[in-house]
Amino acid sequence: MNKIILLLSWMFLGGVAYVYADDSSAKEILMQKLESTGHDTLRLKTLCELVDVCKPEPIVRKQYVDELLKEAESQKDNLYKCRAYLYHIYICFNENNREELRKWLDLLVPLAKKEKYYDLVFLGEQCDIDLLVLNESFEELEDQATDMLHEAQALKNNKGIVLAYQSIARAYRVTGRVKQAGDMLEKAYAQSLEFNDYTISADINNSLIMVYKLLKDYPGLLKCIQERERIIQNEIRRQPDMEQMLHLDFFLFICILCRILFCNGRFAKCKEVYSVDR
């Protein structure tokens, strides 16, 4: 068993190294592209791609977010201005800096609502709400998530509804209502499939795994694997150029899941998981 654990660890670390190598190559290509673009929408799009690629480099990422905001203001492009505000919110979220996050959210919400970029509004609000988990403000977390759900439902904004479901599920999980959290996440996952956002669907899938682990629901874990593979295949058909990264995402997902099953003494189930056709 130790040899298998060592093998999985080696494969996992090798996969992580590959991710960083691939991101570095993508970053170089995008930097070259940025140098050759004028001050137009393509430049704004390229800056967004650089922000996404530079997630492992917080300082560099922030520099590109600052440049994105400056460029969006210069071009008077409110969509990318809102995206820059949202990126700043993400940075504050990662730093657990709610005070600063609220400043950027106060800039994002009125402009995004004016332009009807409601998806961006709810993505920003979810970050603000979820920071309450870290601060252990559980009652406020549930209240604000419920308010966000009502707002999203009034606007008939599917993404906002799903994000609210996720936050409510977090409130349930941290207050010991694990079964209710699972039910809420199942609702969130089903609705997320309506707007084809792989990142959100995969995030909910990850949360479901943690819930199924707590509930010791191993058939549920297996269902998560099968569902993850299905949405990856759908995403590959939708974005063929992302096939390599999506296969790698599934590989890392399997490695993490195997570790969970090993820790719970489910070695036989781990072998079944690792042999999934992919």
Side-chain angles (χ1 to χ4, degrees):
M1 184 183 292
N2 287 338
K3 288 182 179 179
I4 294 176
I5 292 173
L6 184 62
L7 175 63
L8 288 173
S9 300
W10 176 81
M11 293 176 76
F12 176 77
L13 291 172
V16 171
Y18 180 83
V19 170
Y20 286 131
D22 193 69
D23 281 353
S24 178
S25 174
K27 179 182 171 184
E28 288 178 12
I29 292 170
L30 289 168
M31 287 172 67
Q32 292 171 5
K33 186 177 176 182
L34 188 66
E35 288 179 6
S36 62
T37 60
H39 294 279
D40 53 17
T41 304
L42 179 59
R43 186 175 190 84
L44 293 167
K45 184 174 181 294
T46 304
L47 283 166
C48 282
E49 290 173 341
L50 275 164
V51 171
D52 290 333
V53 165
C54 291
K55 283 181 183 178
E57 305 173 84
I59 295 174
V60 177
R61 189 185 194 206
K62 187 177 184 304
Q63 289 171 349
Y64 281 121
V65 174
D66 289 337
E67 187 175 348
L68 172 64
L69 179 55
K70 184 178 178 181
E71 186 67 32
E73 288 174 337
S74 174
Q75 294 190 36
K76 296 181 172 56
D77 190 308
N78 284 342
L79 173 59
Y80 283 94
K81 200 172 171 181
C82 286
R83 286 184 176 176
Y85 291 154
L86 183 61
Y87 281 131
H88 273 297
I89 288 169
Y90 288 160
I91 290 169
C92 295
F93 178 84
N94 292 334
E95 295 173 348
N96 190 20
N97 187 344
R98 193 169 185 233
E99 184 178 350
E100 190 68 19
L101 184 151
R102 293 288 308 180
K103 292 178 184 177
W104 290 109
L105 189 62
D106 287 343
L107 290 171
L108 169 66
V109 170
L111 180 59
K113 283 187 174 180
K114 175 190 169 187
E115 300 290 348
K116 298 185 179 180
Y117 302 143
Y118 295 121
D119 286 359
L120 302 183
V121 172
F122 291 122
L123 284 165
E125 288 183 346
Q126 188 194 43
C127 288
D128 180 46
I129 292 168
D130 286 352
L131 270 190
L132 294 169
V133 174
L134 299 177
N135 298 323
E136 299 185 1
S137 304
F138 302 139
E139 187 175 341
E140 187 182 356
L141 162 64
E142 189 170 344
D143 288 344
Q144 287 200 22
T146 302
D147 289 344
M148 177 175 158
L149 175 60
H150 292 157
E151 183 183 4
Q153 288 172 332
L155 290 166
K156 297 181 180 178
N157 184 280
N158 279 343
K159 186 168 287 188
I161 292 169
V162 168
L163 295 171
Y165 282 158
Q166 279 186 283
S167 293
I168 292 170
R170 287 188 184 99
Y172 287 160
R173 186 159 66 89
V174 297
T175 52
R177 292 170 287 174
V178 182
K179 180 64 171 63
Q180 286 176 267
D183 293 341
M184 188 61 70
L185 287 168
E186 288 288 2
K187 285 175 65 176
Y189 184 76
Q191 193 146 350
S192 76
L193 299 179
E194 295 180 13
F195 51 82
N196 286 326
D197 189 319
Y198 172 77
T199 301
I200 289 178
S201 295
D203 186 42
I204 299 168
N205 185 271
N206 292 339
S207 296
L208 276 167
I209 281 185
M210 298 310 298
V211 167
Y212 287 140
K213 178 195 171 191
L214 290 170
L215 294 172
K216 295 182 169 34
D217 182 350
Y218 297 104
L221 284 172
L222 187 57
K223 185 182 83 169
C224 280
I225 301 164
Q226 294 165 339
E227 191 58 26
R228 185 63 156 263
E229 185 174 29
R230 188 188 71 77
I231 62 173
I232 282 176
Q233 293 305 323
N234 286 346
E235 190 68 7
I236 288 171
R237 283 191 286 273
R238 203 169 69 89
Q239 298 191 75
D241 56 318
M242 294 293 291
E243 181 172 5
Q244 196 171 33
M245 288 301 295
L246 287 164
H247 279 311
L248 183 58
D249 176 69
F250 186 66
F251 166 74
L252 297 177
F253 167 77
I254 290 294
C255 286
I256 292 167
L257 188 55
C258 282
R259 187 181 71 173
I260 290 171
L261 294 172
F262 267 119
C263 291
N264 283 277
R266 295 282 174 150
F267 176 61
K269 179 61 69 176
C270 183
K271 290 194 292 185
E272 179 184 345
V273 167
Y274 200 72
S275 64
V276 169
D277 184 21
R278 56 190 181 278

